[in-house]
Amino acid sequence: MKDYFSGSWKVWAGFGFAAILLFAVAPAVLSDFRLNLLGKFLCFGIVAVGIGLAWGRGGMLTLGQGVYFGLGAYIMAMHLKISDAELRGDDVPDFMQIAGISDLPGYWKPFASPVVTILGILLVPTFVAILLGLGVFKRRVKGAYFAILSQALAAAFAILLIGQQTTGGSNGLNRFRSFFGLALNDPVNRQLLFFITAAILLAVVAITRQLMYSRYGELLVAVRDQEERVRFLGYDPANTKVVAYAIAALFASIAGAMFVPIVGIISPADVGIVPSIAFLIGVAIGGRTTLLGPVLGAIAVAWAQTSLSESFPSGWTYAQGILFIVVVGFFPAGLAGLGALIKWRRRRAPDSSPTGDIDEHTVTKVGVSS
């Protein structure tokens, strides 16, 4: 706790610097297209913060975050499509008319309300994560078994969406024209979307930092390192894991909800196994045990994928895999851990004096104290 309070001014300075970059510098130097692209990367950063909490602090290798990302995204997409249909005076969205569907499906109707939509984005993925977490962690499933189970869940979710005409099938949902009454073709409104996403990212990072330095954060690390000892002390490790897993799902859902109006499309290809692994790669490269490492890693990987895939469309996947192997094999703490490694080496460095003897200042202090 001492480190927490002594470094509080640095934290506020860091948040202030990030706010200046996101709210002042980025809109001033980036074009509308690049600013919108950065907003997409910030969505991935929000997902990464949750993965860093669940995996880095809790030791849960979450390979299925695409499920919760997709739940939030599709809930938001359904609301936007209903709103667009109402603006045109139609009973069903345009893609349903093409498919011959004349009545709005029952599970779509609640999301015609903006309030229900927001509550659904916040509560539905969290509830699903709690149910899954209780079913898995209470049975002490962990490690590779949990990773495989979460990955299978992502694959099943993507397959389910592909087979549903009412969610657009493999094409997904796209061509959104409004966002809670705001026209999405207006550059001012798209800049507002970026600001909202940036504010959410800063809030998510602040909440996660508070959790890391709380008693719950210490308990989560203890569960990761010595689960049986924590159980012996009277705590239920399953409940601790469920909380972290549910928070990570909530963050992923919020990110998915903002991804939809920013990018303009959501499809099964965005929520399956490959996107879930891509989220994880960014976190691993940035540094899963740190606070900002997952965010910076996710943004850097997403930027590299967008930039390099334009020049090397077939080689980016191999480069991404090689980078992941190098980081995991030689830098387990990620790129953010390089700073800690340098500090550790400096502390272990020999005394700077040529003879290694105690200097005059130290002798004077000892003499006075005696």
Side-chain angles (χ1 to χ4, degrees), residues 46-113:
I46 296 172
V47 181
V49 174
I51 296 177
L53 179 66
W55 183 31
R57 292 284 171 160
M60 294 168 281
L61 185 57
T62 54
L63 289 175
Q65 290 303 98
V67 173
Y68 307 111
F69 183 85
L71 284 173
Y74 269 90
I75 290 174
M76 175 63 77
M78 286 190 288
H79 171 73
L80 298 185
K81 295 301 289 184
I82 293 174
S83 298
D84 291 345
E86 291 177 350
L87 291 176
R88 296 191 307 270
D90 297 331
D91 295 329
V92 296
D94 48 5
F95 75 95
M96 289 188 183
Q97 295 177 357
I98 297 174
I101 301 174
S102 57
D103 295 327
L104 194 67
Y107 71 95
W108 275 66
K109 293 179 180 179
F111 301 118
S113 168

Coordinates of all heavy atoms in Angstrom, one line a residue, residues 46-113:
I46 N -9.2 -2.2 -24.6 CA -10.1 -2.4 -23.5 C -10.2 -3.9 -23.2 O -10.2 -4.3 -22.0 CB -11.5 -1.8 -23.8 CG1 -11.4 -0.3 -24.0 CG2 -12.5 -2.2 -22.8 CD1 -12.6 0.4 -24.5
V47 N -10.3 -4.7 -24.3 CA -10.3 -6.1 -24.1 C -9.0 -6.6 -23.4 O -9.1 -7.5 -22.5 CB -10.5 -6.9 -25.4 CG1 -10.5 -8.4 -25.2 CG2 -11.7 -6.4 -26.2
A48 N -7.9 -6.1 -23.8 CA -6.6 -6.5 -23.3 C -6.5 -6.2 -21.8 O -5.9 -7.0 -21.0 CB -5.5 -5.8 -24.0
V49 N -7.1 -5.1 -21.3 CA -7.0 -4.8 -19.9 C -7.7 -5.9 -19.1 O -7.2 -6.4 -18.0 CB -7.7 -3.5 -19.6 CG1 -7.8 -3.2 -18.1 CG2 -6.9 -2.3 -20.2
G50 N -8.8 -6.4 -19.5 CA -9.5 -7.5 -18.8 C -8.7 -8.8 -18.9 O -8.7 -9.5 -17.9
I51 N -8.1 -9.1 -20.0 CA -7.3 -10.3 -20.1 C -6.1 -10.2 -19.2 O -5.7 -11.2 -18.6 CB -6.8 -10.5 -21.6 CG1 -8.1 -10.8 -22.5 CG2 -5.9 -11.7 -21.7 CD1 -7.7 -10.9 -24.0
G52 N -5.5 -9.0 -19.1 CA -4.4 -8.8 -18.2 C -4.8 -9.1 -16.8 O -4.0 -9.7 -16.0
L53 N -6.0 -8.7 -16.4 CA -6.4 -9.0 -15.0 C -6.7 -10.5 -14.8 O -6.2 -11.0 -13.8 CB -7.7 -8.2 -14.7 CG -8.3 -8.4 -13.4 CD1 -7.4 -7.8 -12.3 CD2 -9.7 -7.7 -13.3
A54 N -7.4 -11.1 -15.7 CA -7.7 -12.5 -15.6 C -6.5 -13.4 -15.8 O -6.3 -14.4 -15.0 CB -8.8 -12.9 -16.5
W55 N -5.7 -13.2 -16.8 CA -4.6 -14.0 -17.1 C -3.3 -13.6 -16.3 O -2.7 -14.5 -15.7 CB -4.3 -14.0 -18.6 CG -3.2 -14.9 -19.1 CD1 -2.8 -16.1 -18.5 CD2 -2.4 -14.7 -20.2 NE1 -1.8 -16.7 -19.2 CE2 -1.5 -15.8 -20.2 CE3 -2.3 -13.7 -21.1 CZ2 -0.5 -16.0 -21.2 CZ3 -1.3 -13.9 -22.1 CH2 -0.4 -15.0 -22.2
G56 N -3.0 -12.4 -16.4 CA -1.7 -11.9 -15.8 C -1.8 -12.0 -14.3 O -0.8 -12.4 -13.6
R57 N -2.9 -11.6 -13.7 CA -3.0 -11.6 -12.2 C -3.7 -12.8 -11.7 O -3.3 -13.3 -10.6 CB -3.9 -10.4 -11.8 CG -3.2 -9.0 -12.0 CD -2.1 -8.8 -10.9 NE -1.3 -7.7 -11.3 CZ -0.5 -7.0 -10.4 NH1 -0.6 -7.4 -9.1 NH2 0.2 -6.0 -10.7
G58 N -4.6 -13.4 -12.5 CA -5.3 -14.6 -12.0 C -4.9 -15.9 -12.5 O -5.3 -16.9 -12.1
G59 N -4.0 -15.9 -13.5 CA -3.5 -17.1 -14.1 C -4.5 -17.9 -14.9 O -4.2 -19.1 -15.2
M60 N -5.5 -17.3 -15.4 CA -6.5 -17.9 -16.2 C -6.3 -17.6 -17.7 O -6.5 -16.5 -18.1 CB -7.9 -17.5 -15.8 CG -8.4 -17.9 -14.4 SD -9.9 -17.0 -13.9 CE -9.2 -15.4 -13.4
L61 N -5.9 -18.6 -18.4 CA -5.6 -18.4 -19.8 C -6.9 -18.4 -20.6 O -7.4 -19.4 -21.0 CB -4.7 -19.5 -20.4 CG -4.2 -19.4 -21.8 CD1 -3.4 -18.1 -22.0 CD2 -3.3 -20.6 -22.2
T62 N -7.4 -17.1 -20.8 CA -8.7 -16.9 -21.5 C -8.5 -16.9 -23.0 O -8.2 -15.9 -23.5 CB -9.3 -15.6 -21.0 OG1 -8.4 -14.6 -21.2 CG2 -9.6 -15.7 -19.5
L63 N -8.8 -18.0 -23.6 CA -8.8 -18.1 -25.1 C -10.1 -17.9 -25.7 O -10.3 -18.1 -26.9 CB -8.2 -19.4 -25.5 CG -6.7 -19.7 -25.2 CD1 -6.4 -21.1 -25.6 CD2 -5.9 -18.7 -26.0
G64 N -11.1 -17.5 -25.0 CA -12.5 -17.3 -25.5 C -13.1 -15.9 -25.3 O -14.3 -15.8 -25.3
Q65 N -12.2 -14.9 -25.2 CA -12.8 -13.6 -25.0 C -13.6 -13.1 -26.2 O -14.4 -12.1 -26.1 CB -11.7 -12.6 -24.7 CG -11.0 -12.8 -23.3 CD -12.1 -12.7 -22.2 OE1 -12.5 -13.8 -21.7 NE2 -12.4 -11.5 -21.8
G66 N -13.4 -13.7 -27.4 CA -14.2 -13.3 -28.5 C -15.7 -13.5 -28.3 O -16.5 -12.9 -28.9
V67 N -16.1 -14.5 -27.4 CA -17.5 -14.7 -27.1 C -18.1 -13.5 -26.5 O -19.2 -13.0 -26.9 CB -17.6 -15.9 -26.1 CG1 -19.1 -16.1 -25.7 CG2 -17.1 -17.2 -26.8
Y68 N -17.5 -12.9 -25.4 CA -18.0 -11.8 -24.7 C -17.9 -10.5 -25.6 O -18.8 -9.6 -25.5 CB -17.3 -11.6 -23.4 CG -17.3 -12.9 -22.6 CD1 -16.2 -13.6 -22.4 CD2 -18.5 -13.4 -22.1 CE1 -16.2 -14.8 -21.7 CE2 -18.5 -14.6 -21.4 CZ -17.4 -15.3 -21.2 OH -17.4 -16.5 -20.6
F69 N -16.8 -10.4 -26.3 CA -16.7 -9.3 -27.3 C -17.9 -9.4 -28.3 O -18.5 -8.4 -28.6 CB -15.4 -9.4 -28.0 CG -15.1 -8.3 -29.0 CD1 -14.5 -7.2 -28.6 CD2 -15.3 -8.5 -30.3 CE1 -14.2 -6.1 -29.5 CE2 -15.1 -7.5 -31.3 CZ -14.5 -6.3 -30.8
G70 N -18.2 -10.6 -28.8 CA -19.3 -10.7 -29.7 C -20.6 -10.5 -29.1 O -21.5 -9.9 -29.8
L71 N -20.8 -10.9 -27.9 CA -22.1 -10.7 -27.3 C -22.4 -9.2 -27.2 O -23.5 -8.7 -27.5 CB -22.2 -11.3 -25.9 CG -22.3 -12.8 -25.8 CD1 -22.2 -13.3 -24.4 CD2 -23.7 -13.2 -26.4
G72 N -21.5 -8.4 -26.7 CA -21.7 -7.0 -26.6 C -21.8 -6.3 -28.0 O -22.6 -5.4 -28.2
A73 N -21.1 -6.8 -28.9 CA -21.1 -6.3 -30.3 C -22.5 -6.6 -31.0 O -23.1 -5.7 -31.6 CB -20.0 -6.8 -31.1
Y74 N -22.9 -7.8 -30.9 CA -24.2 -8.1 -31.5 C -25.4 -7.5 -30.8 O -26.4 -7.1 -31.5 CB -24.4 -9.6 -31.5 CG -23.8 -10.3 -32.8 CD1 -22.5 -10.7 -32.8 CD2 -24.6 -10.4 -34.0 CE1 -21.9 -11.3 -34.0 CE2 -24.0 -11.0 -35.1 CZ -22.7 -11.4 -35.1 OH -22.2 -11.9 -36.3
I75 N -25.3 -7.3 -29.5 CA -26.4 -6.6 -28.8 C -26.5 -5.1 -29.3 O -27.6 -4.6 -29.6 CB -26.2 -6.6 -27.3 CG1 -26.5 -8.1 -26.8 CG2 -27.2 -5.7 -26.6 CD1 -26.2 -8.3 -25.3
M76 N -25.3 -4.5 -29.4 CA -25.3 -3.1 -29.9 C -25.7 -3.1 -31.4 O -26.5 -2.2 -31.8 CB -23.9 -2.6 -29.8 CG -23.7 -1.2 -30.4 SD -24.7 0.1 -29.6 CE -23.8 0.4 -28.1
A77 N -25.3 -4.1 -32.2 CA -25.6 -4.1 -33.6 C -27.1 -4.3 -33.8 O -27.7 -3.6 -34.7 CB -24.8 -5.2 -34.3
M78 N -27.7 -5.1 -33.0 CA -29.2 -5.3 -33.1 C -29.9 -4.0 -32.9 O -30.9 -3.7 -33.6 CB -29.6 -6.4 -32.2 CG -29.2 -7.8 -32.7 SD -30.0 -9.2 -31.8 CE -29.1 -9.1 -30.2
H79 N -29.5 -3.3 -31.8 CA -30.2 -2.0 -31.5 C -30.0 -1.0 -32.7 O -31.0 -0.3 -33.1 CB -29.6 -1.4 -30.2 CG -30.1 0.0 -30.0 ND1 -31.4 0.3 -29.6 CD2 -29.4 1.2 -30.1 CE1 -31.5 1.6 -29.4 NE2 -30.4 2.1 -29.8
L80 N -28.8 -1.0 -33.2 CA -28.6 0.0 -34.3 C -29.4 -0.4 -35.6 O -29.9 0.5 -36.2 CB -27.1 0.1 -34.6 CG -26.1 0.5 -33.5 CD1 -24.7 0.6 -34.0 CD2 -26.6 1.8 -32.9
K81 N -29.5 -1.6 -35.9 CA -30.3 -2.0 -37.0 C -31.8 -1.8 -36.8 O -32.5 -1.4 -37.8 CB -30.1 -3.5 -37.3 CG -28.6 -3.9 -37.7 CD -28.2 -3.2 -39.0 CE -28.9 -3.6 -40.2 NZ -28.4 -3.0 -41.5
I82 N -32.3 -2.0 -35.6 CA -33.7 -1.7 -35.3 C -33.9 -0.2 -35.5 O -34.9 0.3 -36.0 CB -34.1 -2.2 -33.9 CG1 -34.0 -3.7 -33.9 CG2 -35.4 -1.7 -33.5 CD1 -34.3 -4.3 -32.5
S83 N -33.0 0.6 -34.9 CA -33.1 2.1 -35.0 C -33.1 2.6 -36.5 O -33.9 3.4 -36.9 CB -32.0 2.8 -34.3 OG -32.0 2.4 -32.9
D84 N -32.2 2.0 -37.3 CA -32.2 2.3 -38.7 C -33.5 2.0 -39.4 O -34.0 2.7 -40.3 CB -31.0 1.7 -39.4 CG -29.7 2.2 -38.9 OD1 -29.6 3.3 -38.3 OD2 -28.6 1.5 -39.2
A85 N -34.0 0.8 -39.1 CA -35.3 0.4 -39.7 C -36.4 1.4 -39.3 O -37.3 1.7 -40.1 CB -35.7 -1.0 -39.2
E86 N -36.4 1.8 -38.0 CA -37.5 2.7 -37.6 C -37.4 4.1 -38.3 O -38.4 4.7 -38.6 CB -37.4 2.9 -36.1 CG -37.8 1.7 -35.3 CD -37.6 1.9 -33.8 OE1 -37.0 2.9 -33.4 OE2 -38.1 1.0 -33.0
L87 N -36.1 4.5 -38.6 CA -35.9 5.8 -39.3 C -36.5 5.7 -40.7 O -37.0 6.6 -41.3 CB -34.4 6.1 -39.3 CG -33.8 6.5 -38.0 CD1 -32.3 6.8 -38.1 CD2 -34.5 7.8 -37.5
R88 N -36.4 4.5 -41.3 CA -36.9 4.3 -42.7 C -38.4 3.9 -42.7 O -39.0 3.9 -43.7 CB -36.2 3.1 -43.4 CG -34.7 3.4 -43.6 CD -34.1 2.3 -44.6 NE -34.4 1.0 -44.1 CZ -33.7 0.2 -43.3 NH1 -32.5 0.8 -42.8 NH2 -34.0 -1.0 -42.9
G89 N -39.0 3.7 -41.5 CA -40.4 3.3 -41.4 C -40.6 1.9 -41.7 O -41.8 1.5 -42.0
D90 N -39.6 1.0 -41.6 CA -39.8 -0.4 -41.8 C -40.0 -1.2 -40.5 O -39.6 -0.7 -39.4 CB -38.6 -1.0 -42.5 CG -38.4 -0.4 -43.9 OD1 -39.4 0.0 -44.5 OD2 -37.2 -0.3 -44.4
D91 N -40.6 -2.4 -40.6 CA -40.8 -3.2 -39.4 C -39.6 -4.0 -39.0 O -39.4 -4.4 -37.9 CB -42.0 -4.1 -39.6 CG -43.3 -3.3 -39.8 OD1 -43.4 -2.2 -39.2 OD2 -44.2 -3.8 -40.5
V92 N -38.8 -4.4 -40.0 CA -37.6 -5.2 -39.8 C -36.4 -4.6 -40.5 O -36.5 -3.8 -41.4 CB -37.8 -6.7 -40.3 CG1 -38.9 -7.3 -39.5 CG2 -38.1 -6.6 -41.8
P93 N -35.2 -4.9 -40.1 CA -34.0 -4.4 -40.7 C -33.9 -4.8 -42.2 O -34.5 -5.8 -42.6 CB -32.8 -5.0 -39.9 CG -33.4 -5.3 -38.6 CD -34.8 -5.7 -38.8
D94 N -33.0 -4.1 -42.9 CA -33.0 -4.3 -44.4 C -32.5 -5.8 -44.8 O -33.1 -6.4 -45.7 CB -32.0 -3.3 -45.0 CG -30.7 -3.3 -44.3 OD1 -30.5 -4.1 -43.3 OD2 -29.8 -2.4 -44.6
F95 N -31.6 -6.4 -44.0 CA -31.1 -7.7 -44.4 C -32.2 -8.8 -44.2 O -32.2 -9.8 -44.9 CB -29.8 -8.0 -43.6 CG -30.0 -8.4 -42.2 CD1 -30.1 -9.7 -41.8 CD2 -30.1 -7.4 -41.2 CE1 -30.3 -10.1 -40.5 CE2 -30.3 -7.8 -39.9 CZ -30.4 -9.1 -39.5
M96 N -33.1 -8.5 -43.2 CA -34.2 -9.5 -43.0 C -35.2 -9.4 -44.1 O -35.8 -10.4 -44.5 CB -34.9 -9.2 -41.6 CG -34.0 -9.5 -40.4 SD -35.0 -9.3 -38.9 CE -33.7 -9.7 -37.7
Q97 N -35.4 -8.2 -44.7 CA -36.3 -8.1 -45.8 C -35.8 -8.9 -47.0 O -36.6 -9.5 -47.7 CB -36.5 -6.6 -46.2 CG -37.2 -5.8 -45.1 CD -37.2 -4.3 -45.5 OE1 -36.8 -3.9 -46.5 NE2 -37.9 -3.5 -44.6
I98 N -34.5 -8.8 -47.2 CA -33.9 -9.5 -48.3 C -34.0 -11.0 -48.1 O -34.3 -11.8 -49.0 CB -32.4 -9.2 -48.5 CG1 -32.3 -7.7 -48.8 CG2 -31.7 -10.0 -49.5 CD1 -30.9 -7.2 -48.9
A99 N -33.9 -11.5 -46.8 CA -34.0 -12.9 -46.5 C -35.5 -13.4 -46.4 O -35.7 -14.6 -46.2 CB -33.3 -13.2 -45.2
G100 N -36.4 -12.5 -46.6 CA -37.9 -12.9 -46.6 C -38.4 -12.9 -45.2 O -39.5 -13.6 -44.9
I101 N -37.8 -12.3 -44.2 CA -38.3 -12.3 -42.8 C -39.1 -11.1 -42.6 O -38.6 -9.9 -42.7 CB -37.1 -12.4 -41.8 CG1 -36.3 -13.6 -42.0 CG2 -37.6 -12.3 -40.4 CD1 -35.0 -13.7 -41.2
S102 N -40.4 -11.3 -42.3 CA -41.3 -10.1 -42.2 C -41.6 -9.7 -40.8 O -42.0 -8.5 -40.5 CB -42.7 -10.5 -42.8 OG -43.2 -11.6 -42.2
D103 N -41.3 -10.5 -39.8 CA -41.6 -10.2 -38.4 C -40.2 -10.2 -37.6 O -39.4 -11.0 -37.8 CB -42.5 -11.2 -37.7 CG -43.9 -11.2 -38.3 OD1 -44.3 -10.1 -38.7 OD2 -44.5 -12.2 -38.4
L104 N -40.1 -9.2 -36.8 CA -38.9 -9.1 -36.0 C -38.8 -10.2 -35.0 O -39.8 -10.5 -34.2 CB -38.9 -7.7 -35.2 CG -37.5 -7.3 -34.6 CD1 -36.5 -7.0 -35.7 CD2 -37.8 -6.0 -33.7
P105 N -37.7 -11.0 -34.9 CA -37.6 -12.1 -33.9 C -37.8 -11.6 -32.5 O -37.5 -10.5 -32.2 CB -36.2 -12.6 -34.2 CG -35.8 -12.2 -35.6 CD -36.5 -10.8 -35.8
G106 N -38.3 -12.5 -31.7 CA -38.6 -12.1 -30.3 C -37.4 -11.7 -29.5 O -37.6 -10.7 -28.7
Y107 N -36.3 -12.3 -29.7 CA -35.1 -11.9 -28.9 C -34.5 -10.6 -29.4 O -33.6 -10.0 -28.7 CB -34.1 -13.0 -28.9 CG -33.3 -13.2 -30.2 CD1 -32.1 -12.6 -30.4 CD2 -33.8 -14.1 -31.2 CE1 -31.4 -12.8 -31.6 CE2 -33.2 -14.3 -32.4 CZ -31.9 -13.7 -32.6 OH -31.3 -13.9 -33.7
W108 N -34.9 -10.1 -30.5 CA -34.5 -8.8 -31.0 C -35.3 -7.6 -30.3 O -34.8 -6.5 -30.1 CB -34.7 -8.6 -32.5 CG -33.6 -9.2 -33.3 CD1 -33.2 -10.5 -33.5 CD2 -32.7 -8.4 -34.2 NE1 -32.1 -10.6 -34.3 CE2 -31.8 -9.4 -34.8 CE3 -32.6 -7.1 -34.5 CZ2 -30.8 -9.0 -35.7 CZ3 -31.6 -6.7 -35.4 CH2 -30.8 -7.6 -36.0
K109 N -36.6 -7.9 -30.1 CA -37.5 -6.8 -29.6 C -37.0 -6.0 -28.4 O -37.2 -4.8 -28.4 CB -38.9 -7.4 -29.4 CG -39.5 -7.9 -30.7 CD -40.9 -8.4 -30.5 CE -41.5 -8.9 -31.8 NZ -42.9 -9.5 -31.6
P110 N -36.5 -6.7 -27.3 CA -36.1 -5.9 -26.2 C -35.0 -4.8 -26.5 O -35.0 -3.8 -25.9 CB -35.6 -6.9 -25.2 CG -36.2 -8.2 -25.6 CD -36.4 -8.1 -27.1
F111 N -34.2 -5.1 -27.5 CA -33.1 -4.2 -27.8 C -33.5 -3.0 -28.7 O -32.6 -2.3 -29.1 CB -32.0 -5.0 -28.5 CG -31.5 -6.1 -27.6 CD1 -31.6 -7.5 -28.0 CD2 -30.9 -5.9 -26.4 CE1 -31.1 -8.5 -27.3 CE2 -30.5 -6.9 -25.6 CZ -30.6 -8.2 -26.0
A112 N -34.8 -2.9 -28.9 CA -35.3 -1.6 -29.5 C -35.1 -0.5 -28.5 O -35.1 0.7 -29.0 CB -36.7 -1.8 -29.9
S113 N -35.1 -0.8 -27.2 CA -34.9 0.3 -26.2 C -33.4 0.5 -26.0 O -32.7 -0.4 -25.7 CB -35.6 -0.2 -24.9 OG -35.2 0.6 -23.8

